[in-house]
Amino acid sequence: MADTGSVVSTTSNSDGRHSFSSPYTAHTLDQIPTPMLKMLVGLGPVIRHCVQLIQVVTWQSSRPQISVLAVLLWICCCCWTTTVLSLGVPTLVLIKLCRDWLQAKTTRLRREKLEQVRMAEREKNQARDDPSDDNDYYDDDEDDTRMRRQRKRQQEEDELVSRKIQPEGRVSLDDTLHDLAIINEYADGVRQWFAWWADRLDGSRPEVLASALSVFMYICPLWILFNWLLGPSGVFALLGTLFLIGSSPWFKVTLMAIRQSPFIMHVLAALWAYGVAVVLSLLSLVLPLQQPLPQKQSKFGRIKGWIMGLAEHARHKKSKALQAMQSENEDDNQASTCGTRSEMIFQFEVYENQRWWLGMDWTTNMMPTERAAWTDKQLVSIESKENFVLPPTNESVEIIQPTDKNGRSIKVTTRKTWGWADLDWWVDMTGELQGSVDRNGWEYGNNAWKQMSGKPGMQTFTRRRRWCRRARLVERRFEEEIHDPKSSTSDINGLRKRA
């Protein structure tokens, strides 16, 4: 069983059916063969590391200093190989152990501090909303009373929300497919680079041969001199450094400045021309000429509403638990029959977006030109998480023809079934200890949904939080021998002829 994260969202069509608006939809997952899907999920972290390496080499990382450190590390490995192997590897192991220990201790201290803040805030809210002060509600302004009750109800709802923290190093299927696109783009660039060099070293064309030999005439003495002065380690360090800095922005700017310098261009043109002339004179080649708000209620009404809400919440949880148990029983019953079974776990993610309005507090009323109240990772408008529906059961049948003449074919039935692995949606609390989200999973931003942080302020007008829920995709494969009527008819006709 593999675990992955995938952002899949639903939108309702005019005919009432649901279509999935993520770039890689749940229906698409049904069409991908299970071995290929497992391979993509299993290789997700490896592919992510490859993309990070490509970004470092091409100087496209968010921190360019990592590329500079990569150049220095390459030079150290080439010039002091023995020292790096004997001291560098043990040092890296010790650094990792110390970092993990320090991170665990820091996380524990942050969690304890956060719990203390929560307890203090809870005691403060309980003291403020003490039932003994309910008689004072009628002395207050009606709007203040309504806002106080609404705030208390919101706090009770927030306490019932399920929360979890995502594990570190999780790579979603969307991210894996995006990383594969980056790798393919880099591979295309490498192929074009090799094709360019192959075209410049094509000895079958006289003009290319003359140009290559003229350049080789200048480079060969320099190559011999560098090998004699620097040695093998120095040459590898020099070549690797040139390769690593070849994609850096400042290196490209330097090349552009050289190309725009008339003096340097004249010198290079003269050297190339003299080299070609020497080669042509030696080899005698001919160069061709081509180039909603609540109402006021009594104390008894509030208690009654609270009890009814609690009962409704209990019934809701009970129905979901029964559905989950029935689904597991069906899986167990089907597993006892013949056929093979494989399953995978996918994590679906949706984003809840809200905006702050003066006099209305946080609401789902958005501006016409911005994102909707519920979106997926690509900011595509979707329905709320309560209307999220998994794809229906997909079944395909394939007939495998026999290789011999016994008249037996094999009917292969593949059935793919979706079911929820989590009872309900839960809020992603990843980053709470670092201050990226608040105690309810909200991430606050400015009016343009930028400068996101976990603390609201005077300039925060937008907020969002991520809801997650895992689903199980079960694939069953049944094989059944069937009688081929064509083969049996031909056998009967053959018997009649022999009779």
Side-chain angles (χ1 to χ4, degrees):
M1 181 175 65
D3 192 1
T4 184
S6 178
V7 182
V8 182
S9 54
T10 60
T11 56
S12 179
N13 296 329
S14 58
D15 56 356
R17 295 178 299 178
H18 293 273
S19 63
F20 290 75
S21 61
S22 177
Y24 314 106
T25 64
H27 291 296
T28 305
L29 298 178
D30 288 341
Q31 305 302 324
I32 301 177
T34 302
M36 183 66 67
L37 200 58
K38 285 188 175 181
M39 185 183 68
L40 287 176
V41 172
L43 295 179
V46 178
I47 296 174
R48 170 52 56 88
H49 291 320
C50 292
V51 170
Q52 291 175 351
L53 179 61
I54 291 174
Q55 291 176 347
V56 170
V57 172
T58 57
W59 295 73
Q60 295 179 357
S61 176
S62 58
R63 294 182 293 178
Q65 57 268 28
I66 298 180
S67 300
V68 177
L69 291 177
V71 174
L72 298 178
L73 180 61
W74 172 259
I75 296 175
C76 292
C77 290
C78 292
C79 297
W80 301 284
T81 307
T82 305
T83 305
V84 170
L85 291 177
S86 58
L87 299 178
V89 175
T91 303
L92 290 177
V93 174
L94 292 177
I95 291 175
K96 183 184 183 305
L97 295 176
C98 294
R99 184 183 66 87
D100 294 342
W101 174 81
L102 183 61
Q103 184 178 5
K105 185 176 181 179
T106 305
T107 302
R108 184 172 64 253
L109 293 176
R110 289 179 178 176
R111 191 178 299 276
E112 292 175 355
K113 183 179 179 180
L114 188 60
E115 289 296 330
Q116 293 176 359
V117 173
R118 285 183 177 179
M119 292 300 298
E121 184 179 355
R122 187 175 301 175
E123 293 176 357
K124 181 180 178 181
N125 293 333
Q126 290 178 355
R128 183 180 56 188
D129 300 331
D130 192 357
S132 61
D133 298 336
D134 287 347
N135 296 328
D136 298 337
Y137 284 178
Y138 301 99
D139 298 335
D140 296 339
D141 186 72
E142 183 179 355
D143 293 337
D144 294 340
T145 304
R146 176 176 52 80
M147 293 297 295
R148 186 181 303 176
R149 292 171 180 171
Q150 184 178 0
R151 183 171 59 251
K152 183 178 180 180
R153 187 182 299 107
Q154 183 66 33
Q155 292 174 357
E156 293 175 353
E157 292 178 356
D158 291 339
E159 291 295 333
L160 296 176
V161 172
S162 177
R163 299 174 176 87
K164 291 183 181 180
I165 297 178
Q166 298 279 11
E168 295 183 0
R170 182 184 64 89
V171 181
S172 67
L173 185 59
D174 285 348
D175 295 336
T176 301
L177 296 176
H178 178 69
D179 293 341
L180 285 176
I182 295 177
I183 293 176
N184 288 331
E185 182 180 359
Y186 181 75
D188 291 338
V190 172
R191 283 194 295 267
Q192 293 176 3
W193 185 79
F194 276 107
W196 185 86
W197 276 106
D199 184 67
R200 297 301 185 275
L201 298 177
D202 187 6
S204 61
R205 294 183 295 172
E207 67 277 11
V208 175
L209 179 61
S211 299
L213 289 177
S214 63
V215 175
F216 181 77
M217 183 178 62
Y218 294 111
I219 292 180
C220 186
L222 296 177
W223 175 258
I224 297 174
L225 180 63
F226 284 147
N227 277 273
W228 180 67
L229 294 177
L230 302 178
S233 300
V235 171
F236 277 108
L238 178 62
L239 294 178
T241 302
L242 292 177
F243 173 76
L244 291 175
I245 68 176
S247 300
S248 61
W250 55 268
F251 187 80
K252 295 179 180 179
V253 171
T254 303
L255 287 181
M256 186 179 299
I258 292 175
R259 291 176 180 176
Q260 294 178 355
S261 175
F263 174 75
I264 296 178
M265 295 305 296
H266 279 84
V267 171
L268 293 178
L271 291 175
W272 178 81
Y274 283 111
V276 171
V278 171
V279 171
L280 291 177
S281 62
L282 293 177
L283 301 179
S284 301
L285 296 176
V286 178
L287 185 64
L289 299 176
Q290 295 179 356
Q291 320 257 13
L293 294 176
Q295 299 179 356
K296 184 176 180 181
Q297 297 179 353
S298 62
K299 182 177 180 180
F300 177 75
R302 293 196 305 270
I303 297 176
K304 181 180 178 181
W306 178 79
I307 295 176
M308 292 179 63
L310 183 62
E312 180 65 21
H313 184 73
R315 286 196 297 268
H316 183 64
K317 290 291 185 181
K318 180 180 178 181
S319 62
K320 289 189 175 182
L322 289 176
Q323 292 177 1
M325 288 187 292
Q326 290 176 359
S327 177
E328 291 178 357
N329 292 333
E330 292 176 359
D331 292 342
D332 294 336
N333 293 333
Q334 293 178 0
S336 60
T337 60
C338 60
T340 59
R341 179 183 184 276
S342 61
E343 69 175 36
M344 298 184 68
I345 299 296
F346 294 90
Q347 181 169 293
F348 296 88
E349 300 175 354
V350 295
Y351 287 82
E352 181 183 5
N353 307 304
Q354 291 185 357
R355 174 174 284 277
W356 186 87
W357 297 93
L358 182 62
M360 299 178 61
D361 207 1
W362 293 100
T363 66
T364 57
N365 298 327
M366 299 292 176
M367 292 184 178
T369 58
E370 64 179 345
R371 65 187 69 182
W374 291 90
T375 59
D376 59 5
K377 190 175 182 179
Q378 286 74 31
L379 301 182
V380 178
S381 177
I382 62 174
E383 295 185 3
S384 63
K385 58 183 178 63
E386 287 79 10
N387 297 326
F388 192 97
V389 180
L390 290 174
T393 301
N394 182 21
E395 184 172 328
S396 60
V397 179
E398 180 184 3
I399 305 298
I400 301 178
Q401 299 297 332
T403 57
D404 50 8
K405 298 182 179 180
N406 57 4
R408 295 288 181 178
S409 300
I410 299 177
K411 177 183 178 182
V412 180
T413 304
T414 304
R415 183 182 299 114
K416 295 184 178 181
T417 306
W418 285 89
W420 289 115
D422 292 336
L423 294 180
D424 203 350
W425 294 85
W426 46 272
V427 176
D428 185 8
M429 299 298 296
T430 304
E432 181 187 13
L433 299 179
Q434 291 76 24
S436 301
V437 297
D438 65 359
R439 59 187 300 270
N440 294 319
W442 290 106
E443 188 180 13
Y444 299 87
N446 58 13
N447 192 55
W449 298 89
K450 296 181 179 180
Q451 300 178 2
M452 308 300 289
S453 66
K455 295 181 179 180
M458 295 295 295
Q459 300 297 326
T460 55
F461 299 96
T462 57
R463 68 177 184 178
R464 67 176 184 180
R465 62 178 172 180
R466 180 165 55 187
W467 292 84
C468 306
R469 192 176 183 181
R470 295 181 303 165
R472 180 184 292 107
L473 175 60
V474 180
E475 182 189 70
R476 301 184 185 278
R477 182 183 176 93
F478 304 92
E479 295 184 0
E480 179 185 1
E481 290 187 358
I482 59 176
H483 190 66
D484 192 355
K486 295 182 179 180
S487 178
S488 61
T489 303
S490 61
D491 292 343
I492 293 174
N493 293 333
L495 291 174
R496 288 177 178 175
K497 290 181 180 180
R498 287 194 294 270

